[in-house]
Amino acid sequence: MSEQETCRAFVMPALSAAGWGKEQVRGQYPINDGKMIASARRHRQGPALVADYVLEYRDDAPIAVVEAKRTSVDVAAGIEQAKRYAKVAKGEMKWG
């Protein structure tokens, strides 16, 4: 299954069953604007970090990152990615 299929088949039903309403689940949530990359000629901005989902307690109060992976990818990879995103977001206080 692709990541999108995994989201439709497993992630969204699990979040709904856990009591998360659609208004509390934000998809493709930007964690930051991307790291600045310095070079001799000019600086440029790298790609932004985007979480598959962020759970919000209420509007603009994100409390969790949910990262989905295709079924062929090891679960540990998704856990580490979500932890890294949460750590970056916490340090930058840049949710959205």
Side-chain angles (χ1 to χ4, degrees):
M1 292 180 104
S2 72
E3 190 172 299
Q4 287 180 336
E5 291 168 330
T6 301
C7 289
R8 278 195 304 274
F10 300 110
V11 177
M12 289 307 296
L15 291 173
S16 180
W20 290 97
K22 288 184 180 187
E23 68 283 350
Q24 294 175 295
V25 179
R26 303 257 321 259
Q28 296 301 298
Y29 196 92
I31 299 295
N32 70 7
D33 295 331
K35 186 183 223 179
M36 291 302 294
I37 301 168
S39 68
R41 293 178 39 206
R42 67 180 186 134
H43 301 313
R44 64 182 174 87
Q45 195 151 8
L49 296 179
V50 179
D52 290 326
Y53 299 99
V54 165
L55 305 180
E56 292 184 327
Y57 175 68
R58 61 179 191 277
D59 281 346
D60 298 323
I63 60 170
V65 174
V66 177
E67 194 57 37
K69 294 290 174 212
R70 59 180 52 228
T71 53
S72 61
V73 174
D74 184 24
V75 172
I79 292 170
E80 287 306 312
Q81 186 175 358
K83 285 170 53 177
R84 187 172 63 249
Y85 284 5
K87 188 179 215 178
V88 167
K90 180 182 175 190
E92 295 186 5
M93 299 303 284
K94 178 79 176 178
W95 290 83

